[in-house]
Amino acid sequence: MDLSPTPAEGAFREDARAWLATNKPELPMPSGETAEGFAVHRAWERRLFEGGWSVVSWPREYGGRDATLWEWVIFEEEYYAAGLPQRVAQNGIFLLAPTIFELGTQEQKERLLPRMAGVEDMWCQGWSEPGAGSDLAAITSRAARDDAGGWRLTGQKTWTTRGAFCTHLFGLFRTDPDAERHRGMTYFLVDLKTPGVTVRPVDKFDGDAGFAEVFFDGAFVPDSDVLGGVDKGWEVAMATTGSERGLSLRSPGRFLAVVDRLVTQYRETPDPSLRSEVADGWMAAQAYKLATDMTVTRLAAGDKLGAESSLSKVFWSELDIALHGTALRLLGDDGALEGPWMKGFQFALAGPIYAGTNEIQRNIIAERLLGLPRK
Ligand SMILES: Cc1cc2nc3c(=O)[nH]c(=O)nc-3n(C[C@H](O)[C@H](O)[C@H](O)COP(=O)(O)OP(=O)(O)OC[C@H]3O[C@@H](n4cnc5c(N)ncnc54)[C@H](O)[C@@H]3O)c2cc1C
């Protein structure tokens, strides 16, 4: 594995850095989990798109710049090093899009991807239900065949991140109630303006209205908005989870930027008793970067992301809590309650839960990577 950048990669980094320095919005940006903040983030992400930096690794015809996977990693490093926040379009561009590239029809690619890159359509993930979280195969929301060339959706989704502000939802619905649990479900792409869809915002514990419950009452979805085939929803969903747990949602740039801020914080409010904790955090972020480099090397050679994305998920979610926890300890009782470290800590606490809980990831690691017997 040769990690030295090529001249083209060096030039790409310089271009990205220069563009971000000239074009980045006023920081810190408001939370993207409120209606006003979401609009500010969306305008910034539109600016990224217009500059050609929204989805660098996508083909040009869909709004990208044909960059390699390595260049994408470089862009992410520069993006987060510039102090920029996670993208509110991320569930579309980082979760749904790789699945559309892999399993979508040509018509779906042409219709959906450019609008997603340009933040005209904002996608949220409609998988969890009140009775189905870790056990996703327990979903009961249904899709019934309609003679008009489509499906009628009925049921309820919950914990839909930014669902109150998004325009579209990708969701799992049961199309064959008699089939075995992991069969008989289908992956639908739903316009949230469709009659029969009701979105109800849910406040998070930090006060932002970042979640939603989404209710379906006979909403019509045409056949052209089935992704990956009728009754194939489980396989399609597993393709999405590889992106969610593994590479694309949690690029190392994000944690390298956090650990840089942590080192700066240590210099501002030094506490020798926390010195080795800061050093451990720095080393863990570098380790995550190196492990990702190894994954990128494999993927660039044509390999696929498999169950090892679960290892990555456990690592980044625990790392995020550790880095923010150390920063709060550095700030001490007076400084810790307000500000970006506390907001970041609150969000980090959710890391072991979303994208499949860490207990579930450990089950996957035990069974699929270590080959341990199922209980
Ligand atoms: C910040 C955040 C954002 C989210 N965004 C979305 C979203 O956009 N779209 C969406 O669809 N969902 C979203 N979710 C929901 C998330 O996917 C679920 O919370 C998660 O899958 C866990 O499901 P649950 O909450 O029903 O908990 P449960 O499944 O009821 O689990 C409760 C506890 O039991 C443990 N447990 C359950 N089964 C097992 C087992 N077999 N072995 C060992 N332990 C087990 C779990 O690990 C957990 O600790 C989000 C959640 C959070 C916190």
Side-chain angles (χ1 to χ4, degrees):
M1 186 163 84
D2 178 8
L3 296 179
S4 38
T6 63
E9 286 163 357
F12 181 90
R13 185 184 289 282
E14 289 309 315
D15 280 356
R17 186 176 295 171
W19 189 89
L20 290 167
T22 314
N23 291 280
K24 75 178 179 185
E26 196 180 322
L27 296 173
M29 291 173 76
S31 163
E33 308 273 319
T34 64
E36 307 74 39
F38 186 82
V40 173
H41 282 248
R42 194 171 173 183
W44 153 239
E45 291 176 26
R46 176 73 196 174
R47 176 90 200 85
L48 261 182
F49 171 71
E50 286 162 356
W53 296 100
S54 167
V55 283
V56 293
S57 59
W58 292 16
R60 280 183 200 279
E61 72 242 53
Y62 302 127
R65 57 167 65 209
D66 277 326
T68 65
L69 203 48
W70 285 113
E71 287 168 336
W72 174 77
V73 172
I74 290 169
F75 175 74
E76 290 282 298
E77 281 174 14
E78 292 301 321
Y79 181 89
Y80 285 111
L84 290 159
Q86 287 184 64
R87 313 259 290 269
V88 292
Q90 67 183 18
N91 282 1
I93 57 177
F94 292 151
L95 301 190
L96 177 59
T99 315
I100 293 181
F101 275 117
E102 189 180 337
L103 299 164
T105 62
Q106 189 57 31
E107 185 276 326
Q108 286 172 332
K109 290 178 193 166
E110 286 167 15
R111 175 164 53 94
L112 302 172
L113 293 173
R115 293 182 60 81
M116 192 188 292
V119 297
E120 288 163 87
D121 296 342
M122 301 294 286
W123 289 86
C124 57
Q125 180 180 25
W127 291 11
S128 303
E129 298 181 1
S134 299
D135 186 9
L136 186 59
I139 61 159
T140 57
S141 291
R142 294 190 316 279
R145 188 73 199 144
D146 186 293
D147 291 341
W151 300 83
R152 295 266 168 202
L153 308 185
T154 318
Q156 179 191 350
K157 298 292 174 180
T158 192
W159 309 130
T160 317
T161 295
R162 291 182 286 277
F165 320 130
C166 283
T167 60
H168 290 71
L169 171 143
F170 52 98
L172 281 176
F173 292 80
R174 204 159 273 295
T175 28
D176 180 356
D178 300 324
E180 189 237 315
R181 271 161 50 83
H182 293 84
R183 312 256 166 258
M185 46 180 119
T186 299
Y187 201 106
F188 285 96
L189 306 171
V190 188
D191 184 337
L192 289 173
K193 288 192 304 299
T194 309
V197 178
T198 308
V199 178
R200 190 190 298 162
V202 175
D203 286 353
K204 297 198 301 178
F205 88 126
D206 63 5
D208 293 350
F211 275 133
E213 294 174 302
V214 186
F215 297 88
F216 300 86
D217 186 11
F220 179 78
V221 178
D223 286 329
S224 54
D225 283 331
V226 167
L227 180 60
V230 174
D231 293 342
K232 297 274 187 273
W234 188 257
E235 291 83 341
V236 186
M238 290 308 106
T240 305
T241 58
S243 304
E244 185 172 22
R245 293 169 189 163
L247 189 61
S248 59
L249 201 54
R250 294 291 174 265
S251 68
R254 186 174 147 215
F255 302 103
L256 294 173
V258 173
V259 92
D260 272 357
R261 281 176 45 223
L262 180 62
V263 170
T264 305
Q265 188 68 54
Y266 185 82
R267 293 203 173 105
E268 283 168 10
T269 51
D271 175 346
S273 74
L274 293 171
R275 193 184 160 90
S276 51
E277 207 172 301
V278 173
D280 283 348
W282 187 88
M283 286 188 289
Q286 305 302 322
Y288 184 66
K289 154 102 181 114
L290 289 172
T292 307
D293 286 347
M294 210 154 69
T295 306
V296 171
T297 305
R298 276 202 307 105
L299 296 181
D303 213 350
K304 279 197 166 190
L305 204 58
E308 65 283 3
S309 61
S310 295
L311 278 176
S312 166
K313 202 259 149 165
V314 171
F315 194 85
W316 62 248
S317 55
E318 293 185 348
L319 173 63
D320 209 20
I321 294 177
L323 297 179
H324 284 86
T326 305
L328 292 183
R329 281 188 282 286
L330 274 174
L331 287 170
D333 292 345
D334 294 338
L337 288 179
E338 297 290 335
W341 282 117
M342 179 49 91
K343 192 93 178 161
F345 182 67
Q346 288 172 342
F347 183 67
L349 287 179
I353 305 172
Y354 65 82
T357 68
N358 282 11
E359 289 79 13
I360 295 297
Q361 303 317 307
R362 288 191 164 93
N363 286 348
I364 295 172
I365 292 164
E367 289 165 13
R368 294 205 222 140
L369 294 180
L370 301 177
L372 297 178
R374 280 170 162 268
K375 221 174 115 239

